[in-house]
Amino acid sequence: MMLIIRASRYILPFLLLMGAAPLMADEHQKHDYKTLVLDILITGDSSVAGDKAENAEKIAKFSEHLRNELNDKTQFNIINDADSLAKVNAADEKQDLHHCNGCEITLAKELGAELVVMPNVFRMSHLISTLHVEFKEVASGKLIKRKSYDFRGNTDQAWERAIKYAMRDLKDWDRK
């Protein structure tokens, strides 16, 4: 009995440390630089009646979901505070941040970001879409990575699945 008590003094802390090691490792893998993620832009076919309201809902929901997933499941430190997002929304109301010849870079600099993520969903039809995720380096303004994920259906589950596959591919990516 005494041997079990002595062994548990060493084994229990060891097991606790082993359980915490993956959590500590994930925390150390975060980049030092901040990343600005713009709202998703939907392009392509929007000929289906009623799409405008549905698109606005999906943009809001899945832009937030994408930011949270990138922050939680990848090495990126996402700018996700209310003040910064309010500045992004105000700038986006003045001009389309996805097509403004570098205004997204200026905005990212103001917010202290080193990367800008520009997501968009191209809809071939109401049922066939592609999620494009582009990464631009703020210092140079250059596109440094682009990934695309096809998905079928215009359901929340289909959008979530596309973002899930993006996280799988981006979880270990480092711009260096």
Side-chain angles (χ1 to χ4, degrees), residues 80-91:
N80 206 15
D81 62 281
D83 291 338
S84 296
L85 293 179
K87 287 181 184 178
V88 172
N89 288 335

Side-chain angles (χ1 to χ4, degrees), residues 51-136:
D51 270 357
K52 191 170 188 171
E54 183 181 357
N55 286 349
E57 185 179 304
K58 288 203 183 304
I59 288 168
K61 180 177 183 176
F62 290 104
S63 293
E64 180 180 351
H65 182 61
L66 179 63
R67 283 184 192 96
N68 291 336
E69 290 291 294
L70 281 167
N71 197 56
D72 295 345
K73 296 184 178 170
T74 69
Q75 298 180 26
F76 301 100
N77 285 315
I78 305 303
I79 296 173
N80 206 15
D81 62 281
D83 291 338
S84 296
L85 293 179
K87 287 181 184 178
V88 172
N89 288 335
D92 200 30
E93 286 178 11
K94 291 179 185 174
Q95 57 191 345
D96 178 1
L97 294 177
H98 287 268
H99 300 104
C100 61
N101 292 328
C103 68
E104 77 283 1
I105 300 297
T106 304
L107 179 62
K109 285 178 184 175
E110 289 175 19
L111 297 174
E114 294 185 44
L115 290 177
V116 177
V117 178
M118 300 178 64
N120 77 71
V121 170
F122 176 78
R123 291 177 52 182
M124 178 68 71
S125 68
H126 193 67
L127 298 176
I128 302 171
S129 301
T130 303
L131 169 66
H132 297 276
V133 184
E134 296 181 346
F135 293 80
K136 286 187 177 180

Side-chain angles (χ1 to χ4, degrees), residues 41-58:
L41 174 69
I42 298 177
T43 60
D45 181 28
S46 59
S47 61
V48 179
D51 270 357
K52 191 170 188 171
E54 183 181 357
N55 286 349
E57 185 179 304
K58 288 203 183 304

